[in-house]
Amino acid sequence: MIQELIDFSLRRGTLHVRSEVRSLLCLLIKDNRCGTEEMNNIIMTHTSAAVKGHLSNPDLGSSVRHEILLLANSLKQEDTCWEFRVRCVMRLFLMGIQLKQPVIMESVTLPCLRILQHLIRPDKSQIAKDGSQEEPPVNVVMALPPKLHLNSAEWLAGNQNWRKCLPVQQAQQTTPTAEKKEEITEKQSEKDKCVEKTEARARYLEEKYATRWRTKMWKVPGVPLKLTQTTWLQQAIFSPSSQSARQTATRVIEYIAQVPSRKKEIVDMLTGCLDQAGKAGECAQEFLSLYGRIIQPTHRKHYLAIKGVLLKLGDLITKEVEKLQYLEETTLSSDLAQGFALKSVT
């Protein structure tokens, strides 16, 4: 039924009919691993075929729009199969980012990046349950420990080690009130007292060893948070094909930086990426604007000064000046964009 709905009903009919078909598909795959994997495989097959034939297809966007929209709608529902659908989004995103074609970037890569952005931070226009127009609270993921990182390649291969770092929610032990104490009479049998004592002892042992296990699990080393040339986030933030992709990637990093325990790591990660500003040229404008906003507080500037960022900026300025001097000596034409990195770093 999933195969027939996607092949014959997802693209046909009025806007309302197509919306109902997407809703029906979401209901069919809810808490259904087999159905979710079948839908993911169909979407991956259709999208991959459209991307491979994009040179002969003048309208790639209309070929994959319905599948991407179905995937986005399915991720709005909370069930036990959410991780499989996020993997599908990530695979599509990585497939598009590797090809580096503007039409693929706008039709596949950018929509998938926006889906990932929505998972990190819901839209501000989302209305609260009580009917107010207030901004929704920060996602629950924001409260997780700073060392909870994972490698995207290992995660796509099915690695589940990230679940071991999740904190354990301990049940709160409720103390009996004074009124309940008064209700306990002297006629209570010795058997009931023994049962109550045994349950309290069991609850105490559960909390004791759960806390001990949780303390040891925090010592599990996390994946270092780095923004290297091979990471998908850097490929998006310095993408020469799409300004929208660069803006969305900077918003993703900015949302992650709102976690107090991760701000220092984000600052270090972006500082290590300053070397790419000269190579990217004007495509680094969004990155440099983000970096300026994040290091705006005075205490972060003090931290960066102690870390030696001023010396690093001086070296970058020197390299850009030497590069411009070399171009003046060897070329007859001029390009005003060549000085963008020098101006920005200065």
Side-chain angles (χ1 to χ4, degrees):
M1 188 173 182
I2 294 175
Q3 178 81 45
E4 293 186 1
L5 285 173
I6 295 178
D7 290 342
F8 303 108
S9 305
L10 187 62
R11 304 170 180 274
R12 301 179 181 179
T14 62
L15 183 63
H16 176 72
V17 171
R18 295 197 298 268
S19 177
E20 292 294 331
V21 171
R22 289 193 298 268
S23 300
L24 176 58
L25 285 167
C26 292
L27 289 175
L28 289 174
I29 65 173
K30 186 174 183 180
D31 295 321
N32 183 359
R33 179 170 179 176
C34 294
T36 300
E37 292 181 347
E38 181 181 358
M39 186 193 75
N40 292 344
N41 293 334
I42 296 173
I43 292 176
M44 285 294 302
T45 302
H46 288 186
T47 308
S48 300
V51 168
K52 291 179 181 179
H54 74 280
L55 295 177
S56 59
N57 185 5
D59 193 3
L60 177 63
S62 61
S63 302
V64 300
R65 181 175 65 249
H66 301 284
E67 283 80 2
I68 299 294
L69 190 57
L70 172 62
L71 199 55
N73 287 0
S74 64
L75 280 168
K76 292 180 181 179
Q77 67 179 6
E78 298 181 2
D79 62 350
T80 57
C81 300
W82 63 269
E83 192 173 355
F84 299 102
R85 295 193 289 273
V86 178
R87 281 199 184 102
C88 182
V89 174
M90 198 67 185
R91 289 191 180 99
L92 289 174
F93 172 80
L94 293 176
M95 179 183 64
I97 202 71
Q98 294 296 333
L99 297 177
K100 299 179 181 179
Q101 297 290 335
V103 61
I104 299 177
M105 178 69 70
E106 293 296 330
S107 303
V108 179
T109 311
L110 183 57
C112 292
L113 184 58
R114 285 173 176 164
I115 293 175
L116 297 174
Q117 175 195 352
H118 180 76
L119 292 176
I120 297 174
R121 181 68 176 266
D123 295 334
K124 292 184 177 180
S125 59
Q126 185 177 359
I127 301 176
K129 292 183 179 180
D130 56 356
S132 61
Q133 295 289 341
E134 297 180 357
E135 183 176 346
V138 180
N139 202 320
V140 179
V141 179
M142 293 298 187
L144 294 177
K147 291 186 178 181
L148 182 58
H149 305 147
L150 57 87
N151 184 283
S152 59
E154 296 178 357
W155 176 68
L156 289 176
N159 194 326
Q160 297 289 329
N161 289 337
W162 68 274
R163 294 183 179 272
K164 298 180 181 179
C165 297
L166 291 176
V168 180
Q169 296 181 355
Q170 297 185 9
Q172 297 181 355
Q173 183 176 357
T174 59
T175 57
T177 61
E179 296 179 355
K180 291 184 179 180
K181 288 181 180 180
E182 293 176 357
E183 295 178 359
I184 300 176
T185 61
E186 296 179 356
K187 296 181 180 180
Q188 186 175 7
S189 64
E190 191 68 24
K191 182 178 179 180
D192 294 338
K193 292 182 179 179
C194 292
V195 171
E196 183 178 0
K197 185 177 180 180
T198 304
E199 291 178 352
R201 177 66 178 174
R203 184 165 56 249
Y204 165 76
L205 292 176
E206 288 176 359
E207 294 181 356
K208 175 184 176 180
Y209 289 105
T211 304
R212 185 176 298 179
W213 175 84
R214 177 184 178 186
T215 303
K216 291 182 179 180
M217 287 311 299
W218 290 133
K219 299 179 182 179
V220 177
V223 180
L225 186 60
K226 297 181 180 179
L227 195 63
T228 60
Q229 183 64 36
T230 57
T231 58
W232 60 270
L233 200 53
Q234 181 173 348
Q235 296 180 40
I237 203 173
F238 291 112
S239 172
S241 304
S242 174
Q243 182 182 10
S244 299
R246 298 195 298 268
Q247 293 173 348
T248 306
T250 55
R251 284 195 292 268
V252 169
I253 297 178
E254 199 165 9
Y255 293 154
I256 300 175
Q258 293 180 3
V259 185
S261 58
R262 288 188 174 179
K263 288 181 180 178
K264 175 180 172 297
E265 296 185 35
I266 295 295
V267 171
D268 293 340
M269 181 181 68
L270 295 179
T271 302
C273 209
L274 285 173
D275 297 332
Q276 301 294 328
K279 300 178 182 178
E282 292 184 342
C283 295
Q285 181 176 0
E286 291 77 14
F287 164 77
L288 293 171
S289 300
L290 169 67
Y291 188 71
R293 292 194 300 271
I294 290 182
I295 67 171
Q296 188 65 32
T298 306
H299 66 277
R300 292 183 190 168
K301 294 181 180 179
H302 290 169
Y303 167 75
L304 290 174
I306 295 174
K307 295 283 287 186
V309 172
L310 293 176
L311 298 178
K312 183 174 183 178
L313 291 176
D315 293 338
L316 292 176
I317 292 175
T318 303
K319 290 180 181 179
E320 291 300 320
V321 171
E322 292 176 351
K323 180 180 178 182
L324 292 176
Q325 184 178 2
Y326 173 78
L327 292 175
E328 287 179 352
E329 294 174 354
T330 57
T331 60
L332 298 177
S333 60
S334 61
D335 186 3
L336 296 178
Q338 293 290 344
F340 176 80
L342 176 60
K343 177 179 181 299
S344 302
V345 174
T346 305

